[in-house]
Amino acid sequence: MAAVQQPALPRTGFPRTIFHVDMDAFFVSVEELYDPSLKGKAVVVGGQRDERGVVSAASYEARKFGVHSAMPLRTAAKQCPHAIFVNGHPERYRECSEKVYKVLGGFTPQVEMASIDEAYLDMTGTERLHGPPLKAADHLHQRMKAETGLNCSVGIGTSRLIAKVSSAQAKPNGVLWIAPGQEAKFLAPLDVREIPGVGKVMEARLHALGIQRVGDLARLEEGELEARFGKWGLALVGKARGEDAGGWFDSEVGEDIEAKSISHEHTYNEDTADPSQLEATLMRLSEMVGRRLRESNFHAGTIQLKLRYKDFTTITRAHSLPNPTQLDTEIFEQVRGLFRKNWKAGAPVRLLGVHASSFATQAAQIDLLQGSRQERWKNALAAADRLRDKFGESSVSLAAGLRGGFRERIHENPASLPGKSKGRDKGKST
DNA sequence: TCTGGGGTCCTAGGACCC
DNA sequence: TCTGGGGTCCTAGGACCC
């Protein structure tokens, strides 16, 4: 009997079991591992009390005094004068984050670090191995503490959204499981601000409509939300029901996502209008960006300058390159050109940034290596399209995709081929 | 209060092409 | 000669997240 191919179940056809694991006061906890005398005290990580900068993380003790992340350090010092201020140590956090990742990998291969201190796990179908969700989470909790010395909170639900929101409710050091079917009921009493993606601005706009809690969203019609908030409004309706509506939230847990940009920026401790100092900073930032491009083997097609003046007005100016680059000198040349064209000479500068994006795909990189072939290919493909326009879809065919190399053929007119591809017919050629 | 640094995604307008 | 409409790329700015 022939095997019957089962149609893939739609994603919504059965409930997934998603864990969101969020480390508690991560930076502070890591600092405590290095200096146990900090335990139980008001600790602020991010810099010294008189520095220009913001709080990266605050201990629960410091939070009692209103200190929270993103608050200016100087404000934190006023609110909580007895707090201990600690500089951040990114290497330590990265190292601990790797340990966290290893622990999580012991539970499922489908682990996705969403940032340095939080991860999503797809635990669907692991019950035979790990038991029911709450038991698995309890086990995870213990293993995490034993192997990293750190506490975490775990949210469990049928979507990333529910897992994320429930881990926040579980803090600190707790576990919260939202049973399938209970999503909307769980969300309804929460402030709209608890929904990931609703920030200060969206919150204010929703409040202006009389919407304070997630449950209030149900009172508005979908059409009205879409009219007011566009694409976002529609997604919001889904979110209020606990669905992973739209964008990144919809992706499978553990899918590899490539970086889309690399940037570095610097805020001066004191504003400066000295051109040589400013350009020296741009050089340094360009080198940092270039190094990371080469590490990741990316070539950037667009280079962007960021410039913030004393009064905090900020401009960005971008330029796209004909040939994507990963070289410090080329990055610097571009960004210096943008700087010279756009800086109001003499105006004190607070921040400079260098940003690289539009990374070349592998195919485009091959094009690049082969110099003018790129141009001829583009012309050939454009010619094929024009033929199609004139004579119909079947008049021209491209024999193979880019994957196998440059094997395309324009059947009707082989002479127009831009060069020949030799060998390497089968298999990947990258 | 006086506002870091690293990212992602979205919107909107203009250029350009078909 | 005038007109329109869609698609894509580029640029600038801003909301949001950790």
Side-chain angles (χ1 to χ4, degrees):
Chain A
M1 216 171 90
V4 176
Q5 180 82 40
Q6 288 293 331
L9 276 167
R11 193 167 290 161
T12 51
F14 62 94
R16 294 186 295 167
T17 305
I18 308 293
F19 280 28
H20 182 253
V21 179
D22 202 336
M23 307 306 292
D24 295 336
F26 184 60
F27 294 176
V28 173
S29 306
V30 174
E31 294 301 333
E32 286 173 359
L33 291 178
Y34 283 81
D35 179 1
S37 78
L38 294 173
K39 277 187 190 164
K41 296 186 182 152
V43 177
V44 172
V45 178
Q48 297 306 306
R49 61 205 315 136
D50 57 345
E51 279 178 347
R52 222 174 214 188
V54 298
V55 176
S56 292
S59 68
Y60 286 97
E61 191 57 33
R63 291 183 203 183
K64 290 183 189 162
F65 293 81
V67 178
H68 56 81
S69 52
M71 171 183 273
L73 291 169
R74 292 173 200 188
T75 310
K78 276 178 198 156
Q79 304 249 129
C80 188
H82 64 286
I84 300 169
F85 285 75
V86 180
N87 290 331
H89 296 94
E91 343 73 57
R92 295 180 182 176
Y93 311 144
R94 270 195 294 272
E95 197 181 304
C96 281
S97 185
E98 276 164 33
K99 282 190 193 162
V100 167
Y101 181 73
K102 281 199 187 116
V103 171
L104 300 178
F107 285 82
T108 167
Q110 272 169 283
V111 180
E112 179 178 319
M113 294 301 293
S115 73
I116 199 158
D117 70 340
E118 57 175 318
Y120 291 93
L121 277 62
D122 193 334
M123 295 286 283
T124 309
T126 66
E127 294 200 1
R128 270 219 248 160
L129 199 57
H130 296 296
L134 284 175
K135 192 179 169 199
D138 192 47
H139 190 190
L140 190 157
H141 232 251
Q142 290 172 30
R143 270 259 274 286
M144 187 63 77
K145 185 71 177 179
E147 291 181 27
T148 68
L150 299 167
N151 287 332
C152 62
S153 297
V154 185
I156 307 165
T158 55
S159 63
R160 287 178 187 258
L161 179 88
I162 291 294
K164 167 98 179 156
V165 175
S166 59
S167 75
Q169 301 298 310
K171 280 189 171 300
N173 204 19
V175 176
L176 182 57
W177 174 51
I178 307 304
Q182 300 302 302
E183 292 83 3
K185 204 170 141 194
F186 161 63
L187 292 174
L190 300 180
D191 198 294
V192 286
R193 189 63 198 266
E194 300 286 338
I195 293 192
V198 175
K200 233 169 133 181
V201 174
M202 184 61 76
E203 181 188 30
R205 291 175 71 184
L206 290 171
H207 282 181
L209 293 173
I211 295 170
Q212 313 280 335
R213 300 176 188 285
V214 180
D216 298 339
L217 280 166
R219 288 209 309 262
L220 278 173
E221 306 213 348
E222 279 190 28
E224 186 174 358
L225 279 168
E226 191 181 12
R228 281 182 194 276
F229 303 116
K231 207 173 159 176
W232 229 103
L234 271 187
L236 209 49
V237 177
K239 282 169 193 261
R241 295 193 206 112
E243 295 163 6
D244 281 340
W248 169 82
F249 269 95
D250 268 331
S251 60
E252 297 289 333
V253 173
E255 259 178 62
D256 259 357
I257 294 161
E258 292 228 306
K260 299 214 160 71
S261 70
I262 288 174
S263 67
H264 285 282
E265 57 187 63
H266 176 72
T267 296
Y268 294 103
N269 250 322
E270 281 175 51
D271 304 334
T272 177
D274 173 5
S276 58
Q277 190 186 0
L278 291 165
E279 293 197 0
T281 301
L282 288 179
M283 180 75 231
R284 208 188 83 230
L285 294 170
S286 299
E287 284 167 355
M288 292 164 74
V289 169
R291 187 162 50 85
R292 288 190 49 211
L293 284 171
R294 292 189 295 280
E295 273 168 16
S296 332
N297 198 22
F298 288 143
H299 293 252
T302 304
I303 303 296
Q304 185 182 265
L305 165 79
K306 181 167 165 183
L307 204 171
R308 173 128 72 210
Y309 291 106
K310 193 170 149 187
D311 68 355
F312 225 72
T313 56
T314 307
I315 62 163
T316 58
R317 292 294 179 268
H319 184 245
S320 289
L321 305 156
N323 298 317
T325 186
Q326 53 177 192
L327 299 178
D328 306 352
T329 49
E330 291 184 7
I331 298 165
F332 176 60
E333 198 185 319
Q334 294 307 320
V335 90
R336 186 183 58 182
L338 290 166
F339 174 72
R340 291 185 173 172
K341 216 186 302 172
N342 292 284
W343 178 48
K344 290 181 279 178
V349 172
R350 179 189 177 92
L351 168 151
L352 286 177
V354 175
H355 182 102
S357 58
S358 305
F359 297 147
T361 63
Q362 295 207 313
Q365 284 178 44
I366 292 165
D367 279 352
L368 184 61
L369 291 175
Q370 305 193 350
S372 67
R373 283 192 64 184
Q374 180 182 12
E375 211 46 48
R376 288 190 283 164
W377 259 109
K378 264 166 61 183
N379 293 341
L381 292 172
D385 288 338
R386 281 196 295 276
L387 282 176
R388 284 205 186 97
D389 288 342
K390 256 189 170 167
F391 302 115
E393 202 58 37
S394 62
S395 63
V396 180
S397 90
L398 303 178
L402 285 171
R403 168 170 297 205
F406 291 91
R407 301 185 57 245
E408 290 77 0
R409 290 289 183 279
I410 296 171
H411 289 164
E412 276 69 14
N413 187 4
S416 73
L417 268 180
K420 272 193 179 155
S421 63
K422 292 178 191 157
R424 287 190 315 154
D425 273 350
K426 290 270 151 78
K428 291 198 174 171
S429 63
T430 47

